C-alpha cells in the first residue's frame, strides 16, 4: 500500500489547513485510516483516525478543532485543521491499518508533511 499525503504548509495561529492522503496499491479493505504527528523531540502521536464504518478516534488536544473524514470508495482520508495553534506544529503522517487473515495488524505510512503554525 502506498500513501500519498499533501496539504501541509505554513499558517498563522488561528488559521486553517487541510491535509489529504490517498492510498493506492491495495487489493484489500483498509480497516483504519488516520493521521499521526511528530513534533521535534517528541514521540509520534495519534491525531485522529477513522474506521471503514465511520468510527472516529480523535486526540483530546485537537477535539473541536480538527475533523477527519474518509472516502472508502476512493481510499482517501482528509484532515481539516481549524483554529491552529503553534503547538500543532509537527510533521504529519498519514497512516493506514489492515487486519490480515491471521488477525494481526499491518501498518502503512505516508512520507510525512510538515505543518508549521506561527504565533
Amino acid at each position: 500500500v502506498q500513501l500519498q499525503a499533501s496539504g501541509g504548509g505554513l499558517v498563522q495561529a488561528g488559521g486553517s489547513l487541510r491535509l489529504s492522503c490517498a492510498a493506492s496499491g491495495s487489493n484489500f479493505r483498509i480497516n483504519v485510516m488516520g493521521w499521526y504527528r511528530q513534533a521535534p523531540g517528541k514521540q509520534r502521536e495519534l491525531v485522529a483516525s477513522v474506521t471503514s464504518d465511520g468510527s472516529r478516534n480523535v486526540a483530546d488536544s485537537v477535539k473541536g478543532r480538527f475533523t477527519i473524514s474518509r472516502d472508502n470508495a476512493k481510499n482517501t482520508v482528509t484532515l481539516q485543521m481549524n483554529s491552529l495553534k503553534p503547538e500543532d506544529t509537527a510533521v504529519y503522517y498519514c497512516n493506514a491499518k489492515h487486519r490480515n487473515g491471521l488477525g494481526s495488524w499491518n501498518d502503512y505510512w505516508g512520507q510525512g508533511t510538515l505543518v508549521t503554525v506561527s504565533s
Side-chain angles (χ1 to χ4, degrees):
V1 177
Q2 293 80 44
L3 300 176
Q4 182 67 43
S6 61
L10 172 64
V11 66
Q12 288 189 332
S16 298
L17 281 175
R18 185 181 181 93
L19 304 183
S20 297
C21 177
S24 61
S26 166
N27 60 359
F28 47 77
R29 185 179 70 172
I30 297 174
N31 299 97
V32 186
M33 295 189 77
W35 293 91
Y36 288 69
R37 68 185 181 187
Q38 187 166 19
K42 295 188 177 181
Q43 289 188 331
R44 191 173 296 189
E45 62 177 1
L46 173 70
V47 177
S49 64
V50 55
T51 66
S52 56
D53 63 3
S55 296
R56 290 169 171 79
N57 185 15
V58 181
D60 288 342
S61 59
V62 306
K63 277 182 181 176
R65 300 188 297 122
F66 292 10
T67 302
I68 189 167
S69 58
R70 175 174 175 173
D71 186 327
N72 288 329
K74 297 181 179 178
N75 265 347
T76 59
V77 64
T78 300
L79 185 69
Q80 177 66 43
M81 304 185 293
N82 298 329
S83 302
L84 282 159
K85 303 176 180 180
E87 51 263 44
D88 294 318
T89 295
V91 177
Y92 284 69
Y93 296 91
C94 180
N95 172 264
K97 299 183 187 297
H98 166 64
R99 192 167 190 180
N100 62 32
L102 300 177
S104 58
W105 290 89
N106 296 325
D107 264 303
Y108 303 91
W109 295 95
Q111 78 278 19
T113 184
L114 178 62
V115 171
T116 304
V117 185
S118 62
S119 56

